[in-house]
Amino acid sequence: GEDVEQSLFLSVREGDSSVINCTYTDSSSTYLYWYKQEPGAGLQLLTYIFSNMDMKQDQRLTVLLNKKDKHLSLRIADTQTGDSAIYFCAVALYNTDKLIFGTGTRLQVFP
Amino acid sequence: DAMVIQNPRYQVTQFGKPVTLSCSQTLNHNVMYWYQQKSSQAPKLLFHYYDKDFNNEADTPDNFQSRRPNTSFCFLDIRSPGLGDAAMYLCATSSRPGQGATDTQYFGPGTRLTVL
């Protein structure tokens, strides 16, 4: 089955860029998502990219997709303390209703 | 605003006492999901409805059941909660227009279940 992996922790200084990485195994992915989860809250959709795209930019967020290497990344420019949260990547497979979630990356932003 | 609503946000129950969590949506989506999430782990899919079609995950315990009386509402019933069922329960919705991939999943704020 599909496997989605992320590093567990990332710590950055306020104002720096953050890059959160995700790798997946199934090449029949259609959409790939990034969700943000703050403590005690649900998952907030941040952005997504369709599998035939290489890059998508949305204000401070840049998503890069390398289909050959099955690697997805989320770059947050000018990281703020409010960006501290857990970030999940998730992969949608063709012709299913399901998302396969990564393990989540805890981003800590320090002053 | 169109959204996914979960009630209650916090639920305390006793060991073995049945509990029901509810989810409603104003997005008119035809797919609704229930996830269990423990200790900042990835959400684990319990089951989902595509319209009225119920799809159970193979490893979802029989203790967990669901009802979807109409498009807008979906319920999660835990028949005999154990200590191991304490978790955050997340509801999500999406739209599947027909063949092919389902659209983006939108999540509710979750219900934190405590079992005493």
Side-chain angles (χ1 to χ4, degrees):
Chain A
E2 171 74 285
D3 193 25
V4 181
E5 299 276 346
Q6 298 177 240
S7 52
L8 290 180
F9 296 103
L10 177 65
S11 184
V12 299
R13 188 180 300 276
E14 190 175 15
D16 288 350
S17 293
S18 309
V19 179
I20 302 171
N21 294 300
C22 174
T23 58
Y24 59 98
T25 55
D26 197 315
S27 57
S28 69
S29 59
T30 55
Y31 288 90
L32 299 101
Y33 298 88
W34 285 103
Y35 286 90
K36 175 184 179 183
Q37 187 175 35
E38 298 184 27
L43 272 66
Q44 173 195 351
L45 176 68
L46 280 181
T47 187
Y48 63 91
I49 189 167
F50 190 52
S51 57
N52 68 353
M53 296 169 64
D54 297 324
M55 186 183 89
K56 180 179 179 183
Q57 188 152 3
D58 184 0
Q59 298 182 334
R60 291 192 298 125
L61 305 178
T62 303
V63 180
L64 295 178
L65 175 60
N66 182 327
K67 281 197 73 173
K68 175 175 168 289
D69 294 339
K70 299 189 180 70
H71 182 267
L72 179 74
S73 69
L74 173 70
R75 178 177 181 270
I76 306 173
D78 187 24
T79 312
Q80 303 297 307
T81 54
D83 295 323
S84 294
I86 298 176
Y87 290 80
F88 290 97
C89 74
V91 176
L93 302 180
Y94 181 75
N95 217 26
T96 80
D97 294 321
K98 301 181 190 181
L99 283 180
I100 311 299
F101 282 90
T103 47
T105 299
R106 184 180 294 274
L107 173 65
Q108 182 178 19
V109 182
F110 57 93
Chain B
D1 287 342
M3 56 199 315
V4 183
I5 301 157
Q6 290 189 244
N7 284 306
R9 293 293 312 278
Y10 301 90
Q11 176 74 59
V12 180
T13 190
Q14 291 179 330
F15 183 94
K17 185 174 181 182
V19 66
T20 294
L21 310 182
S22 82
C23 177
S24 64
Q25 53 126 343
T26 59
L27 297 158
N28 204 33
H29 284 169
N30 55 358
V31 190
M32 292 187 78
Y33 307 79
W34 279 105
Y35 290 86
Q36 180 191 64
Q37 188 182 29
K38 293 186 177 183
S39 301
S40 300
Q41 296 175 15
K44 178 180 180 297
L45 182 64
L46 295 173
F47 24 59
H48 74 281
Y49 277 93
Y50 171 44
D51 289 327
K52 289 188 181 296
D53 288 339
F54 178 69
N55 298 271
N56 199 29
E57 292 301 296
D59 57 355
T60 298
D62 292 340
N63 198 24
F64 292 87
Q65 297 183 338
S66 186
R67 295 170 283 136
R68 189 180 186 187
N70 53 52
T71 301
S72 301
F73 285 87
C74 196
F75 299 98
L76 169 62
D77 300 309
I78 309 176
R79 289 194 297 183
S80 182
L83 298 179
D85 297 328
M88 174 79 93
Y89 289 87
L90 298 167
C91 174
T93 74
S94 68
S95 173
R96 195 206 313 172
Q99 292 291 329
T102 304
D103 206 347
T104 303
Q105 289 191 26
Y106 295 92
F107 284 79
T111 295
R112 168 81 58 192
L113 178 68
T114 300
V115 181
L116 301 176

